[in-house]
Structures are given as C-alpha cells and as structure tokens.
C-alpha cells in the first residue's frame, strides 16, 4: 500500500486532468486508470465566467483526491501565493510544487523550488516537489520538510521516457524511505513499467493519456503497466548477463548420436 | 478608482473586495482572491477595503498536469 503524507493509496498512478478531448473522456480515463489522485491547476477567471465552476463540479464528482499544482510559476513567491490560493479553493494542504526555471525544457528552478518548499512546509503544506534527479537538491528538499520527491525522467510532455536511468536508480538508493514519484516525461506504458521496476513508488502523468487516440484505454494500459512494474520490482528480477543460459534442463536429455 | 484586475486596468468604485466581485458578476465558491500579492480569504473579502492601484488576482480551478 502506497502512503503519501499519511494517506493510504491503492493506486500508484497519479493522473493529470489537462488536454483531454472532453470532460466526459477525462472522467472515463480517471475511472479506468484506477487513479485515486488527480492533478489540477488554477488560472485567472474572467468576469462573470463560469469555466472554473464547471470544472470544479466535475472534479468533485470524480470523488478522488486532488493535488493542485503551481504550474507556470517562475519564482518562489509566485508559487507560494498560488499554493495558498489553491488551498483556499480545494481545501487541501497538498500541493504539487512547480517552479519553472527554463522556458524550453521546463526544467525546474531548483533554487527557487527549495526556498518555496521551505516556506510552504513551515506553513503546514504537504509539498510534492517537481524536481530533477539531482541528489543534493533532493536532500535539501527533504531537509526543509518534503516527505515525497517527484523527479522528472524527461522534460514535461516530451514522451521521451527515462533519459537517465542510472540517475533515477541512484536516487532510489539515496532515498530508500522517501516515496519517489516520476513526474514528467513518461510517454508509454513501458516507460512507466520501467521506472516502477527501478523501485519508484508511483508515476504521475498526463499528456501520454490525454492525447492518446483512446484516452480511457490508454489510462487503463498505464494502470496495468504500473501494477506490473511494481510487482516485478517486488518479485526479484533476473539480472542481465552476456552469455546464454539454457532455460531447459539438459540433465537427462536423450543421447541420439 | 483604478484597479488592476487579473492584469487589466479597470475603473471601478467598489469599496471592498466582496463588492468588486459582485459588481463584476463573479460568483461561486470556487474562486480564490489575492490583493497586492497576499491571499484574501473568502470570509475576509467583505472587510477588505480596496485602494487606488490595487493589484487583484481572481483565480479559479482549471485542468492541470
């Protein structure tokens, strides 16, 4: 059972809610994925607008935990205010903390990230930091109070999959007691299974499901891949080797020559 | 009084933040508000008096990854 900030969860898939072809498709995708946590965001509401209200109602009907994000923030101060406004709307201390540092790669600004995390943790937030696979940054995030780390495996929306497997496995080794969630760059269920085989605790993804030809089916595929990867990790995987090892016993075989 | 609402300058005579939301026809319990970079809780909007040049952010839920 996965535990994130003392919440017990059966599913190890966290699903984003953006870019689906319709609200109905989003709802079906969440249902078929088995996800118990969905990510949401905040944006400026136009005067008299009802857009936010319709989405708010949809999320309520999904009856899942909500993880608001601070997407689009480029400084600690922006992210902190967004987190507080998210808590006001959604009534949760959970916050997916994103502080973007690079326009093209959407790489996190880890300096602002750590500062924002320090302040938000001190104010009682349960911070889920979107970070890199840098061990020192991970240590600093934990030292300021983060009890979950969410490294990228490739840039957001890139669908590139794990670009630096050894860094991800090193991070797993460095933080054996901290839940680790791969947060960005997953494109295919096999990518998700791979990072779960590394021992990651969960996967957060959005685009790979939302823009699939059949998002609900893809959501289900990801759910199964993540379960498979987790089960494999727990089951003791065979290590690769260079030469063949016969799988069929040769002892007692017939001799015909 | 000039106010900067979600990045746009508008002229409005609302005295409080709650009054401003009413005048501009914002409604619902899904909004969060900030003035000059500080969160204003919904229960404090009626008491929060606005000043000329205040920067007001009004946010609502939307889809996110």
């Amino acid at each position: 059972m996965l535990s994130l900030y003392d919440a017990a969860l059966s599913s190890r898939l966290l699903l984003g809610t953006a870019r689906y072809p319709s609200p109905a498709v989003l709802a079906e995708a969440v249902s078929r994925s088995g996800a118990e946590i969905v990510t949401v965001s905040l944006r400026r509401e136009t005067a008299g607008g009802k857009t936010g209200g319709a989405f708010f109602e949809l999320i309520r009907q999904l009856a899942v935990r909500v993880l608001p994000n601070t997407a689009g923030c480029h400084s600690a101060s922006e992210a902190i205010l967004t987190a507080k406004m998210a808590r006001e709307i959604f009534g949760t201390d959970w916050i997916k903390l994103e502080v973007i540092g690079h326009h093209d790669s959407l790489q996190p600004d880890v300096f602002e990230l750590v500062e924002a995390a320090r302040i938000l943790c001190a104010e009682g937030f349960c911070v889920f930091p979107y970070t890199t696979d840098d061990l020192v940054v991970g240590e600093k995030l934990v030292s300021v109070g983060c009890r979950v780390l969410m490294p990228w495996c490739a840039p957001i929306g890139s669908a590139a999959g794990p670009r630096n497997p050894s860094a991800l496995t090193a991070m797993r080794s460095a933080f054996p007691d901290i839940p680790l969630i791969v947060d960005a760059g997953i494109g295919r269920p096999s990518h998700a299974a791979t990072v779960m085989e590394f021992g990651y605790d969960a996967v957060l993804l959005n685009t790979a499901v939302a823009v699939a030809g059949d998002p609900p089916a893809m959501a289900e595929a990801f759910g199964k891949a993540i379960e498979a990867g987790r089960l494999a990790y727990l089951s003791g995987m065979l290590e690769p080797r260079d030469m063949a090892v016969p799988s069929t016993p040769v002892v007692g075989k017939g001799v015909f020559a | 009084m000039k106010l900067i609402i979600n990045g746009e300058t508008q002229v409005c005579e609302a005295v409080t933040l709650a009054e401003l939301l009413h005048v501009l026809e914002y409604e619902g319990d899904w909004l969060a508000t900030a003035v000059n970079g500080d969160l204003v809780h919904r229960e404090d909007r009626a008491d929060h008096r606005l000043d000329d040049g205040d920067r007001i952010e009004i946010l609502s839920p939307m889809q996110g990854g």
Side-chain angles (χ1 to χ4, degrees):
Chain A
M1 183 76 75
L2 175 63
S3 178
L4 301 175
Y5 286 102
D6 301 326
L9 301 152
S10 301
S11 170
R12 293 173 180 272
L13 170 58
L14 291 74
L15 197 58
T17 57
R19 303 187 62 187
Y20 291 82
S22 72
V25 172
L26 162 61
E28 192 184 347
V30 172
S31 173
R32 285 182 62 178
S33 74
E36 295 165 299
I37 299 171
V38 298
T39 55
V40 296
S41 196
L42 297 180
R43 283 297 180 274
R44 285 170 167 169
E45 181 72 286
T46 54
K50 305 286 188 295
T51 311
F55 179 63
F56 194 50
E57 190 54 38
L58 172 67
I59 292 299
R60 276 180 173 164
Q61 290 172 2
L62 292 176
V64 290
R65 282 180 179 272
V66 172
L67 177 59
N69 70 27
T70 63
C73 292
H74 287 76
S75 68
S77 59
E78 259 188 303
I80 290 165
L81 178 56
T82 302
K84 291 177 179 177
M85 296 180 85
R87 180 157 67 177
E88 173 88 351
I89 291 177
F90 295 106
T92 176
D93 293 328
W94 285 20
I95 191 73
K96 176 187 165 182
L97 184 59
E98 288 184 48
V99 188
I100 299 301
H102 190 269
H103 185 72
D104 291 326
S105 69
L106 300 182
Q107 181 168 341
D109 181 332
V110 295
F111 307 98
E112 294 289 306
L113 177 69
V114 171
E115 176 63 6
R118 183 183 66 78
I119 293 168
L120 289 171
C121 288
E123 295 195 14
F125 281 88
C126 300
V127 176
F128 293 67
Y130 159 62
T131 184
T132 65
D133 51 27
D134 187 296
L135 299 182
V136 177
V137 173
E139 286 175 354
K140 289 191 181 299
L141 288 166
V142 171
S143 73
V144 299
C146 294
R147 290 161 56 198
V148 172
L149 295 174
M150 301 207 300
W152 67 352
C153 76
I156 294 172
S158 69
R163 275 189 170 172
N164 194 349
S166 59
L168 291 175
T169 54
M171 198 160 190
R172 178 68 287 175
S173 300
F175 299 99
D177 302 320
I178 298 288
L180 297 180
I181 302 171
V182 166
D183 178 11
I186 297 285
R188 300 173 176 211
S190 57
H191 297 156
T194 296
V195 299
M196 294 302 291
E197 288 174 3
F198 293 162
Y200 274 67
D201 295 281
V203 170
L204 195 165
L205 57 92
N206 188 152
T207 309
V209 167
V211 305
D214 184 342
M218 187 60 79
E220 185 177 338
F222 269 104
K224 289 179 173 175
I226 288 165
E227 279 187 26
R230 178 66 182 175
L231 193 57
Y233 171 69
L234 296 175
S235 302
M237 286 172 288
L238 189 64
E239 292 302 318
R241 51 190 295 165
D242 292 331
M243 302 305 282
V245 178
S247 53
T248 302
V250 292
V251 176
K253 75 178 276 294
V255 178
F256 303 113
Chain B
M1 179 163 62
K2 278 186 181 175
L3 300 171
I4 303 165
I5 304 167
N6 283 348
E8 293 184 4
T9 302
Q10 295 190 36
V11 176
C12 186
E13 296 311 314
V15 174
T16 67
L17 182 55
E19 205 176 309
L20 176 70
L21 293 180
H22 178 72
V23 168
L24 296 180
E25 299 182 332
Y26 283 96
E27 56 185 55
D29 62 352
W30 60 81
L31 300 173
T33 50
V35 178
N36 299 328
D38 291 322
L39 174 71
V40 179
H41 292 289
R42 60 170 67 87
E43 60 269 25
D44 297 332
R45 289 174 193 154
D47 296 327
H48 190 101
R49 297 180 70 85
L50 298 174
D51 292 318
D52 191 47
D54 275 351
R55 292 175 293 107
I56 296 154
E57 290 290 324
I58 304 165
L59 303 188
S60 71
M62 71 161 284
Q63 299 84 349

